[in-house]
Amino acid sequence: MSAAPTITVITPAFNAVRYLAETIESVLNQDVPGLEYFIVDGGSTDGTVDVIRRYEKHLAWWVTEPDRGQAHAFNKGLARATGEFVAEVDSDDPYLPGALHAALDFLQHTPGARWVAGGVLAFGTADLHNNEWHMPKVPTTVLDCVTVRFQAATPGHVWSRQMIQAVGAYDESFRYLFDFELFAKLLAHGERCIPLDRPMAAYRFHPESKTVA
């Protein structure tokens, strides 16, 4: 009998042909034993599905069908996840080398740790320049989430799967800020986000990205 996956990584995607291959490669190149990788596509029409099929043999599961947005896509993946831990990396944001090894090593060797957040490098494109980076300043109270008194982008987070399932994961009625709402729920339930002293992912700013929009 094979061991349960260590971590499930979920990539929501929609019309992401331009950047998705880079994201997929960044996940696979983590070379994490026990990786369960899902891609949840919302019914793309631009060639995204062709990219997914190129990597199909490396995926534990993928689907392409209309959905109700990014939060719904993530929750669909989470419902199938079997990893002890779970993370989300969006279709335009690559992981940095060694990121998941660092997060898992910390979580597995730190008593009581169930949620970590590392730093993020922000970068742009020829259409939209951006050049910044930050180490995590994690939320510690619900008020931090409401007033955005923290700096820890979602691609840098790794959570206990049972922990986020216990609070209902993302609220699918939110189109934006569903990650902030999740963080607030976790903190309200007494969970703690622990900063990880290294960058985890690269956050791409481009004209079509939800953050820019």
Side-chain angles (χ1 to χ4, degrees):
M1 184 175 178
S2 60
T6 304
I7 185 168
T8 303
V9 175
I10 301 169
T11 294
F14 181 68
N15 287 344
V17 67
R18 188 174 179 186
Y19 305 117
L20 181 58
E22 183 180 0
T23 296
I24 294 172
E25 293 279 359
S26 79
V27 175
L28 300 180
N29 288 340
Q30 296 295 306
D31 197 26
V32 171
L35 170 67
E36 181 177 66
Y37 187 25
F38 295 165
I39 299 179
V40 188
D41 178 68
S44 292
T45 58
D46 68 341
T48 293
V49 174
D50 295 330
V51 175
I52 297 172
R53 288 197 174 111
R54 292 208 312 262
Y55 293 92
E56 187 171 21
K57 67 180 181 180
H58 301 292
L59 305 176
W61 176 72
W62 72 278
V63 68
T64 179
E65 60 188 14
D67 58 36
R68 298 189 297 275
Q70 184 178 342
H72 181 216
F74 176 83
N75 286 351
K76 282 165 59 177
L78 182 63
R80 286 179 170 263
T82 62
E84 181 182 359
F85 300 101
V86 67
E88 176 187 1
V89 62
D90 294 328
S91 56
D92 50 2
D93 298 332
Y95 276 130
L96 299 175
L100 294 184
H101 276 286
L104 292 171
D105 183 67
F106 185 89
L107 286 162
Q108 292 170 329
H109 294 94
T110 306
R114 305 216 299 171
W115 173 17
V116 298
V120 171
L121 308 179
F123 68 108
T125 65
D127 320 69
L128 187 71
H129 297 286
N130 192 293
N131 182 19
E132 61 183 86
W133 70 282
H134 67 262
M135 295 302 285
K137 179 183 178 185
V138 301
T140 59
T141 67
V142 172
L143 186 60
D144 287 345
C145 299
V146 173
T147 57
V148 199
R149 292 193 308 206
F150 71 98
Q151 194 169 23
T154 300
H157 291 247
V158 178
W159 307 281
S160 155
R161 177 173 58 85
Q162 291 183 342
M163 179 188 71
I164 62 170
Q165 286 177 329
V167 300
Y170 286 152
D171 185 330
E172 295 172 14
S173 69
F174 282 62
R175 175 167 170 76
Y176 303 98
L177 303 180
F178 41 80
D179 47 354
F180 287 29
E181 194 266 349
L182 172 61
F183 303 161
K185 286 189 297 194
L186 290 171
L187 292 165
H189 278 75
E191 301 292 349
R192 180 170 66 105
C193 182
I194 304 173
L196 193 64
D197 190 25
R198 62 153 289 158
M200 286 280 290
Y203 195 92
R204 190 191 314 263
F205 285 78
H206 58 94
E208 297 80 31
S209 72
K210 185 176 288 187
T211 300
V212 172

